[in-house]
Amino acid sequence: MKFKINNGSIKQEEEVIELEQLLASLELMGEEPLQSRSIYLFEEIERHVAIKISRQIDLINQLDDELELVEKDYVREPINIFIDTYGGYVSAGSSIITAIKRSKTEVNGIVTGNCYSMGVPILLACDNRYATSLSTFMIHSVSVELIQSTSLTGYKHSLESTEMLQEIIKGFFKRELDGKSQFYDDIVDGTKDVYFDSYKAKEYGIVHEVDYEYKKDEPKPILENKKTDVIKKKPLCRKWKTKTNK
């Protein structure tokens, strides 16, 4: 992709060169950022997955920063993260959450299948949150893997770190759900994994809309965005036609 230089200035030419270098980096990742801004979280949340997704989000933001300098009326298109995961490591999930939160470009979370365990906080980090009626959710307390040969001190340390992570996750839920997290407190105080459907997730505030699909040519609703108070959303979704609507 080539960009025209309107005034031929050295500064703008440098900006174009930087932009082309950035596009080359994205192409090496197998992405087509100007045609598709879709990221897929369809596997266990581990370190290598966090690195890949965080890098994608950061590079798309860099691309948008450069395009804003080159194109006067450039409008950022949202990043869409499609989620179907059984969860994974808290540390890896936290890295993805950090990348989403620091993204200047809006991020949409779209659950297409399962959103279990660490997948739920990642979804909560997104600016707009959607799910299909076929999606399922699961929340539980933070778990820890103990090695049999671990000493008593090691067991105590693992327990302390797990309790600390639990409090961090609880605090995150409270912040993202505006303090309405009693349901989560009830869950983590129990011993069972708690499963619920998309409509219950909407009731809890975890998702904004159910039975929506990706579509660019229709208006998006106006939702609160913590990055810019209230902003007008760009086209994203339309309701599916179903036999029965709840």
Side-chain angles (χ1 to χ4, degrees):
M1 180 176 179
K2 298 292 182 182
F3 292 88
K4 294 181 180 179
I5 303 174
N6 296 326
N7 57 17
S9 68
I10 295 176
K11 182 179 180 181
Q12 190 169 13
E13 185 175 358
E14 290 175 348
E15 290 171 354
V16 171
I17 292 172
E18 289 178 3
L19 179 56
E20 290 180 342
Q21 290 174 343
L22 181 58
L23 288 169
S25 298
L26 285 163
E27 288 173 2
L28 289 174
M29 295 174 59
E31 296 293 323
E32 298 180 49
L34 298 182
Q35 288 74 34
S36 173
R37 290 177 170 239
S38 299
I39 296 174
Y40 296 89
L41 177 53
F42 280 13
E43 54 193 310
E44 185 175 359
I45 302 165
E46 297 180 330
R47 181 177 173 80
H48 73 279
V49 175
I51 292 172
K52 179 181 71 173
I53 292 177
S54 298
R55 179 169 170 76
Q56 285 177 297
I57 293 171
D58 288 348
L59 285 174
I60 291 173
N61 271 270
Q62 290 177 41
L63 172 66
D64 286 342
D65 290 342
E66 295 292 340
L67 284 171
E68 283 181 337
L69 294 173
V70 175
E71 299 181 20
K72 181 180 179 181
D73 299 321
Y74 179 72
V75 178
R76 292 172 181 252
E77 291 291 333
I79 299 168
N80 299 294
I81 301 181
F82 293 89
I83 301 172
D84 183 5
T85 180
Y86 287 102
Y89 292 93
V90 174
S91 58
S94 297
S95 294
I96 296 174
I97 289 171
T98 299
I100 293 171
K101 285 297 187 182
R102 72 185 179 198
S103 174
K104 184 178 177 182
T105 300
E106 197 173 75
V107 180
N108 299 317
I110 306 166
V111 181
T112 60
N114 299 317
C115 185
Y116 291 178
S117 189
M118 197 60 205
V120 178
I122 290 173
L123 174 65
L124 282 175
C126 299
D127 300 304
N128 305 308
R129 308 186 290 273
Y130 304 94
T132 71
S133 59
L134 301 176
S135 302
T136 56
F137 297 76
M138 187 273 285
I139 300 177
H140 57 182
S141 59
V142 175
S143 59
V144 60
E145 295 180 357
L146 296 177
I147 303 173
Q148 291 184 352
S149 60
T150 301
S151 65
L152 179 59
T153 301
Y155 278 117
K156 289 180 178 179
H157 175 72
S158 296
L159 179 60
E160 290 173 358
S161 62
T162 302
E163 289 177 340
M164 178 185 68
L165 287 174
Q166 186 67 73
E167 290 304 312
I168 291 173
I169 296 298
K170 285 176 67 174
F172 180 78
F173 267 77
K174 288 181 179 180
R175 289 193 301 275
E176 297 305 312
L177 299 177
D178 298 323
K180 300 175 183 178
S181 62
Q182 183 59 46
F183 77 95
Y184 184 71
D185 291 334
D186 293 341
I187 289 170
V188 298
D189 288 338
T191 58
K192 295 181 179 180
D193 297 344
V194 178
Y195 296 82
F196 48 94
D197 62 20
S198 298
Y199 297 103
K200 203 68 176 177
K202 183 178 179 180
E203 180 183 324
Y204 290 153
I206 293 173
V207 300
H208 295 130
E209 297 293 342
V210 179
D211 266 352
Y212 269 63
E213 67 175 299
Y214 181 73
K215 189 176 176 70
K216 287 187 175 180
D217 57 358
E218 291 183 6
K220 285 166 57 180
I222 297 177
L223 298 174
E224 290 187 3
N225 187 326
K226 293 181 181 178
K227 292 176 183 174
T228 56
D229 290 337
V230 179
I231 65 172
K232 222 170 199 179
K233 306 293 179 185
K234 289 191 150 285
L236 172 70
C237 308
R238 68 177 175 83
K239 272 191 174 179
W240 285 349
K241 292 180 180 179
T242 57
K243 292 182 179 179
T244 58
N245 289 322
K246 295 184 180 182

